[in-house]
Amino acid sequence: MDTKVAAKLRILADAAKYDASCASSGAPKRAAGAKGLGSTTGAGICHAYTPDGRCISLLKILLTNYCLYDCAYCINRRSSNVRRARFTVQEVVDLTVNFYKRNYIEGLFLSSGIVKNPDHTMEEMIEVAKRLRRDHLFAGYIHLKTIPEASPWLVEQAGLWADRLSINLELPSQQSLEELAPEKNGGTIRAAMGQMHERIVEAKAEKRRFSPAGQSTQMIVGADATTDEGVLRTSDGLYRRYALRRVYYSAFSPIPEPSKVLPLKAPPLQREHRLYQADWLLRFYGFSVDEVAAGGDAGMLDLDIDPKLAWALKHRESFPVDVNTADRELLLRVPGLGTRVVDRIVAARRHTTLRLDDLARLTPGLKRARPFLVTPDHRPTRLIDRQDLRARIAPKPAQLELFG
Amino acid sequence: MLMNAASMVQIRLGPGADLDGFRAAARSLVAAGTPPEAVVWTQGGAADLFGAPVLPDGPPLSLPRAAADLVQLVVCHRDPERFGLLYRLIWRLTHGEKALLEVMSDPLVHRLAMMGKAIRRDLHKMHAFLRFRRVETAKGERFVAWFEPDHHILAAAAPFFRNRFGSLDWTILTPEGRVSWTGGALVFGPAATRDEAAAGDGFEEGWRDYYESTFNPARLNTTAMRAEMPKKYWRNMPETAAIPGMVRAALSRVDGMMEREPAMPTRRNPDKAVAAMQEAGPHSLEELNRIISGSEPLVPGATRAVLGEGPVGAAIAFVGEQPGDQEDLQGRPFVGPAGQLLDRALAEAGIERSATYLTNAVKHFKFVQRGRRRIHESPTAGEVKHYRWWLERELDLVRPGLVVALGATAALALAGKAVPVGRNRGLFRFGDRPGFLTVHPSSLLREPDPQAREEGFRRYCEDMRRIRELAAA
């Protein structure tokens, strides 16, 4: 590889790593034609893991880390002393194709600092996607980070080439945005999300291709004073209003060039983890934000136990539930039982009566679920009242907190 | 139940996954009514031993889809018991327990499901962690990989690589066999050794650079890494050599970041940046038209974008639907039959065409090919909205006194929602723009009854006269 390109790659991959999103899922299944390159399987593939436990699925880089903006939490802000670099459109295309051919990646995640003006930057990003699709008949995954301040027709063009579009909300409230990202405007961001949502829905109805894997966003957690409840309320609104596929939570991470207005200490990574769990409960388990928040304290989730267990411990009157008769909705509230396990329980009990041994084969989480379940050979009525129940089933502190 | 040796049936299958052999054996065993306890499954041995059929061929088995999928997976497993377990499953499915696979708590189903899961994982890891290296040959570039799967999955993994790397020549080598994709066919071959694989690739170093740079030392979590990427895969992945060094340096890198004084912001005044952002977007019709011309048609096929025509500051702007066949060929709006009819109506009403601005809601011709003819197709609501931003900007720059929507598509683009033309014909406000709504001239052309057409045209000319009066006022 060209040494100049390699040097830029180091700078522009480093600059992009604070974006939590890496998913390559949700695109329609595609296979390369005889002359084409690339496919999507629907599920996405993680091609490697770094020692931070995060996967590498896409080549995640910035087109450039020069930026007109001065967002306090961002390493690439105008006033940061970080080294700068800038890829050409063709360099990004060549890197993507060459990495892809060696089976290193599922595709490209392209973001950028804003140079010259938003339109110029957005046009260059679109040009990358266009050349990949047209010159290389590239059928792999493309995720473009849309620049909300760019002209609306550019968002429309981006959706024609990308599998997923995203705009980072960055901070959960307009007030935080004003403090930490003075040039960003929450209204502009939401307007762009609304525009994308409308186009995605229409394209689906008209069987056209427009960002088929939907849109996502990211919020930085711990850089401002917003509580978990506040964060989740914002997410809930985004899911409802714009049908986002994912909201990513990125625990504010110490950066080599910190700004003065930021807290000195990073939030525990466990906080990010709990937010993801709570987010999951909102989307797949029928929990409301109020319910999730009620499991915690003063708007913050319990860092020691997962939010579903926290809720269950505060609602002991709802348990135990009978595995063989309880509604699906109720089973979904049992700690240790995931959606797939609940589906299996519901399917299996149509043909048989489930006993504790049977459950052990259906879920690896039986130990946690036991105090909340009834089977013909197990009735834990007393256990549920025990004062030390929390201590008995709460997991030992995980090593994740090492850097808390 | 104990069987005596004489009543036992011995089935010998080929090496590896041997899905076909197992299927044939299962068919004939079920047809012969042989219960699972009476079958001994073995693999390998001399070809002539399993060349002769043990039992006559049986009719096809009708298994639930999920069962067929599970069989296909589990035959890839290394466990020698897999055939016996699968046959027990098939036996029970065909003997009164049709819904058995829904009972995931059943010990047999559970065990097979775990085996299936192991295969799926093995396949997934092969799809993910296999690394090609580029090799120059006389015929061009070729990509070669070495991989050591846990189970007999080479044949099951190959279609993924075929679908993904259709235009490349590639070979995957494994200790059990090899597969190549050349000239549009998958060709399987004998076992390989590691030294047959290519030694290096000019891009591996760059990939390692990327791998190192994308790691955030403040989030070190090697347990999570190893859970997903067990060490056994590391030796065949070029990037993993960097791991020990990355882990070692992580703590000091984080300490360094925490100790560093926050940087004093050098230029915090955002005015320039904000001003630059507001500068974005085209400031003249020429600039906008350049963007429109350079953009892709939403529905492919059109020759070019057909731009609006007429003077900036025109008193009247007419907005049509989309260019037709003639417009697409000539690159000008309203030059086809409908445009000629519009010209006649304008002339009758005393409106100078060259003094008006003429444009379309959608800038590209959409059609279906019927023989040599290109038949106009109406744009969908989504397509109209997609082009709407351009139209809005275009009218902002032209600044007409009155905007006339010709037909429902133009009305949709201007109003942002569907507006029935019949009921709203006449004066109409499109947001901030004073406007007028009338039919598209092509609707007059489509009228089959000559008298009705005559009447329609007369009414159209009346509309045009009102438009002239409104624009003059």
Side-chain angles (χ1 to χ4, degrees):
Chain A
M1 187 195 285
D2 182 76
T3 50
K4 261 197 204 143
V5 173
K8 289 188 198 177
L9 178 60
R10 274 190 167 273
I11 294 169
L12 293 169
D14 190 290
K17 74 185 173 199
Y18 301 98
D19 205 305
S21 130
C22 68
S24 54
S25 56
K29 285 188 186 184
R30 292 190 297 258
K35 292 202 176 89
L37 173 70
S39 63
T40 48
T41 59
I45 296 173
C46 304
H47 284 269
Y49 292 80
T50 51
D52 50 26
R54 300 232 224 161
C55 81
I56 297 176
S57 169
L58 303 169
L59 171 63
K60 183 159 62 182
I61 48 174
L62 299 189
L63 195 57
T64 175
N65 64 341
Y66 288 100
C67 193
L68 285 173
Y69 285 114
D70 205 29
C71 308
Y73 49 80
C74 181
I75 175 112
N76 305 311
R77 67 189 184 284
R78 188 175 70 227
S79 62
S80 157
N81 298 319
V82 76
R83 279 183 70 198
R84 309 281 172 170
R86 183 173 183 173
F87 275 130
T88 65
V89 166
Q90 196 55 42
E91 281 167 347
V92 176
V93 171
D94 291 342
L95 260 182
T96 308
V97 167
N98 277 305
F99 281 179
Y100 197 91
K101 280 180 172 178
R102 288 155 177 85
N103 203 40
Y104 298 161
I105 50 171
E106 285 291 283
L108 175 68
F109 176 115
L110 188 62
S111 180
S112 183
I114 295 169
V115 279
K116 267 196 194 171
N117 61 52
D119 273 11
H120 170 81
T121 309
M122 195 67 227
E123 276 167 15
E124 289 217 315
M125 292 170 76
I126 293 170
E127 185 61 24
V128 169
K130 228 177 183 175
R131 283 196 206 171
L132 278 169
R133 296 278 193 235
R134 220 173 19 199
D135 300 352
H136 297 274
L137 301 175
F138 181 70
Y141 200 86
I142 299 179
H143 179 156
L144 294 182
K145 179 117 293 174
T146 311
I147 294 165
E149 294 79 4
S151 296
W153 53 77
L154 291 173
V155 173
E156 312 265 321
Q157 289 286 314
L160 303 183
W161 306 98
D163 287 295
R164 176 172 283 184
L165 298 175
S166 63
I167 300 175
N168 284 354
L169 191 60
E170 306 294 14
L171 293 160
S173 75
Q174 179 61 34
Q175 194 198 339
S176 308
L177 216 48
E178 278 163 22
E179 279 165 21
L180 297 177
E183 294 108 350
K184 289 237 165 207
N185 180 322
T188 309
I189 295 173
R190 283 164 192 268
M193 280 181 178
Q195 185 198 342
M196 287 204 295
H197 173 52
E198 200 180 303
R199 267 332 78 82
I200 289 167
V201 170
E202 272 165 8
K204 200 166 271 175
E206 293 173 4
K207 297 193 166 56
R208 272 184 297 108
R209 208 190 126 88
F210 186 95
S211 190
Q215 60 165 325
S216 62
T217 193
Q218 165 168 304
M219 268 190 277
I220 294 164
V221 177
D224 66 349
T226 312
T227 60
D228 291 340
E229 184 180 348
V231 171
L232 290 170
R233 225 169 267 295
T234 299
S235 302
D236 193 47
L238 294 175
Y239 285 130
R240 279 171 206 279
R241 224 164 302 138
Y242 310 119
L244 291 192
R245 283 293 179 87
R246 283 290 295 274
V247 175
Y248 290 92
Y249 305 98
S250 176
F252 157 69
S253 167
I255 49 178
E257 292 290 335
S259 155
K260 262 223 146 108
V261 290
L262 279 184
L264 270 176
K265 202 165 143 40
L269 287 183
Q270 191 70 357
R271 185 176 171 201
E272 179 187 295
H273 182 54
R274 294 289 177 235
L275 279 170
Y276 275 120
Q277 288 176 319
D279 183 277
W280 220 256
L281 292 184
L282 297 182
R283 286 188 295 149
F284 304 114
Y285 289 80
F287 278 77
S288 67
V289 176
D290 288 332
E291 287 176 312
V292 173
D297 193 24
M300 295 304 277
L301 298 172
D302 197 325
L303 287 183
D304 296 333
I305 54 175
D306 71 79
K308 196 165 153 193
L309 180 58
W311 180 86
L313 287 175
K314 287 195 175 171
H315 292 84
R316 297 185 191 203
E317 72 285 353
S318 316
F319 300 100
V321 303
D322 190 326
V323 169
N324 287 292
T325 57
D327 286 344
R328 187 171 184 276
E329 288 68 34
L330 209 49
L331 287 173
L332 283 173
R333 300 253 160 174
V334 176
L337 300 188
T339 47
R340 283 176 68 184
V341 172
V342 169
D343 288 343
R344 282 177 196 164
I345 290 174
V346 172
R349 71 187 188 183
R350 271 189 240 131
H351 308 282
T352 180
T353 299
L354 295 169
R355 305 177 74 84
L356 220 48
D357 281 352
D358 297 315
L359 279 183
R361 282 188 287 269
L362 286 176
T363 171
L366 185 60
K367 184 171 169 264
R368 265 156 25 96
R370 252 179 92 128
F372 303 93
L373 290 178
V374 169
T375 60
D377 56 342
H378 170 70
R379 179 165 286 276
T381 40
R382 264 206 248 114
L383 193 54
I384 199 78
D385 293 327
R386 287 178 65 140
Q387 290 302 307
D388 63 346
L389 180 57
R390 179 187 164 116
R392 287 168 65 91
I393 46 180
K396 302 282 168 283
Q399 75 108 41
L400 268 178
E401 285 164 289
L402 199 59
F403 297 95
Chain B
M1 172 168 57
L2 273 175
M3 294 267 179
N4 72 48
S7 64
M8 297 296 276
V9 179
Q10 182 139 11
I11 304 288
R12 189 178 289 276
L13 297 176
D18 197 10
L19 178 63
D20 292 340
F22 174 74
R23 274 191 186 138
R27 270 203 305 271
S28 71
L29 289 168
V30 170
T34 314
E37 310 77 78
V39 188
V40 178
W41 297 87
T42 54
Q43 268 193 294
D48 57 350
L49 274 180
F50 59 90
V54 187
L55 289 166
D57 208 13
L61 295 169
S62 82
L63 296 178
R65 174 76 194 267
D69 291 347
L70 188 64
V71 168
Q72 204 174 344
L73 274 181
V74 173
V75 291
C76 301
H77 206 282
R78 246 185 224 299
D79 190 338
E81 281 189 63
R82 64 190 183 282
F83 297 116
L85 293 170
L86 284 173
Y87 185 57
R88 265 169 62 200
L89 177 81
I90 290 171
W91 183 262
R92 285 174 65 187
L93 283 167
T94 50
H95 288 76
E97 293 183 79
K98 230 180 144 181
L100 180 59
L101 279 184
E102 286 176 34
V103 190
M104 289 282 279
S105 55
D106 180 274
L108 175 66
V109 176
H110 173 67
R111 181 154 174 208
L112 286 169
M114 296 312 276
M115 291 168 87
K117 200 173 158 188
I119 298 304
R120 248 188 239 111
R121 185 177 160 89
D122 204 27
L123 279 169
H124 186 80
K125 295 304 184 197
M126 181 162 175
H127 295 160
F129 297 154
L130 177 140
R131 299 285 180 260
F132 281 117
R133 282 174 165 165
R134 187 173 172 277
V135 182
E136 282 283 2
T137 70
K139 280 185 276 173
E141 65 176 12
R142 181 161 190 83
F143 290 85
V144 182
W146 165 255
F147 197 79
E148 298 161 87
D150 287 344
H151 301 279
H152 310 296
I153 59 165
L154 183 62
F160 168 83
F161 295 99
R162 177 198 58 205
N163 289 343
R164 177 154 294 195
F165 302 109
S167 59
L168 308 182
D169 275 359
W170 51 262
T171 300
I172 298 171
L173 306 167
T174 79
E176 262 189 22
R178 68 186 71 201
V179 59
S180 292
W181 172 258
T182 323
L186 285 175
V187 180
F188 290 88
T193 59
R194 218 192 149 131
D195 8 300
E196 287 181 69
D201 183 301
F203 265 81
E204 282 181 358
E205 213 175 312
W207 174 239
R208 225 167 8 241
D209 283 347
Y210 174 72
Y211 181 74
E212 286 180 20
S213 307
T214 199
F215 161 60
N216 184 348
R219 303 179 64 109
L220 187 67
N221 183 355
T222 51
T223 319
M225 169 184 67
R226 271 200 299 264
E228 298 292 346
M229 190 173 71
K231 268 192 142 167
K232 66 178 173 186
Y233 296 109
W234 290 15
R235 60 199 182 106
N236 295 321
M237 297 170 72
E239 60 272 47
T240 49
I243 291 174
M246 290 160 77
V247 173
R248 250 195 324 273
L251 278 173
S252 61
R253 281 177 72 190
V254 176
D255 287 346
M257 283 191 256
M258 302 301 254
E259 277 161 20
R260 191 172 316 187
E261 282 288 303
M264 282 306 288
T266 44
R267 291 155 290 161
R268 274 206 65 89
N269 186 358
D271 292 354
K272 210 176 119 197
V274 172
M277 272 171 262
Q278 277 156 357
E279 283 300 300
H283 296 285
S284 68
L285 205 51
E286 293 76 51
E287 239 183 284
L288 176 71
N289 283 339
R290 248 198 319 276
I291 292 169
I292 296 174
S293 305
S295 296
E296 302 292 315
L298 189 53
V299 179
T303 313
R304 72 190 101 201
V306 176
L307 304 169
E309 205 174 85
V312 167
I316 310 167
F318 289 100
V319 180
E321 185 195 52
Q322 69 174 344
D325 183 65
Q326 282 304 308
E327 284 82 4
D328 179 67
L329 292 174
Q330 297 183 35
R332 291 187 54 207
F334 292 98
V335 290
Q340 286 157 19
L341 193 66
L342 178 69
D343 285 349
R344 270 181 54 207
L346 291 176
E348 294 261 345
I351 299 173
E352 193 76 46
R353 171 171 165 146
S354 61
T356 68
Y357 189 80
L358 289 160
T359 191
N360 282 301
V362 168
K363 307 297 181 198
H364 293 103
F365 179 38
K366 181 184 174 190
F367 60 88
V368 276
Q369 193 83 41
R370 294 251 168 75
R372 275 210 213 136
R373 293 180 62 210
R374 305 192 296 172
I375 309 292
H376 159 274
E377 268 216 318
S378 295
T380 63
E383 285 157 7
V384 173
K385 287 189 193 162
H386 175 93
Y387 284 95
R388 188 170 172 237
W389 308 106
W390 282 338
L391 179 64
E392 289 290 336
R393 193 82 192 104
E394 189 181 4
L395 293 174
D396 284 346
L397 291 166
V398 173
R399 299 184 316 275
L402 186 73
V403 178
V404 181
L406 301 174
T409 300
L412 169 65
L414 289 166
K417 57 173 197 236
V419 182
V421 180
R423 259 185 288 143
N424 297 286
R425 195 163 172 171
L427 264 180
F428 199 91
R429 243 195 128 69
F430 300 108
D432 294 340
R433 301 182 209 283
F436 193 95
L437 179 53
T438 184
V439 295
H440 194 276
S442 64
S443 72
L444 303 175
L445 291 175
R446 281 197 301 268
E447 174 57 57
D449 175 31
Q451 214 173 335
R453 195 160 58 216
E454 198 63 32
E455 170 58 21
F457 184 70
R458 198 191 51 76
R459 218 184 139 195
Y460 204 50
C461 292
E462 263 171 46
D463 277 354
M464 291 301 156
R465 273 190 286 275
R466 272 206 65 202
I467 289 164
R468 195 195 60 195
E469 285 160 21
L470 285 164

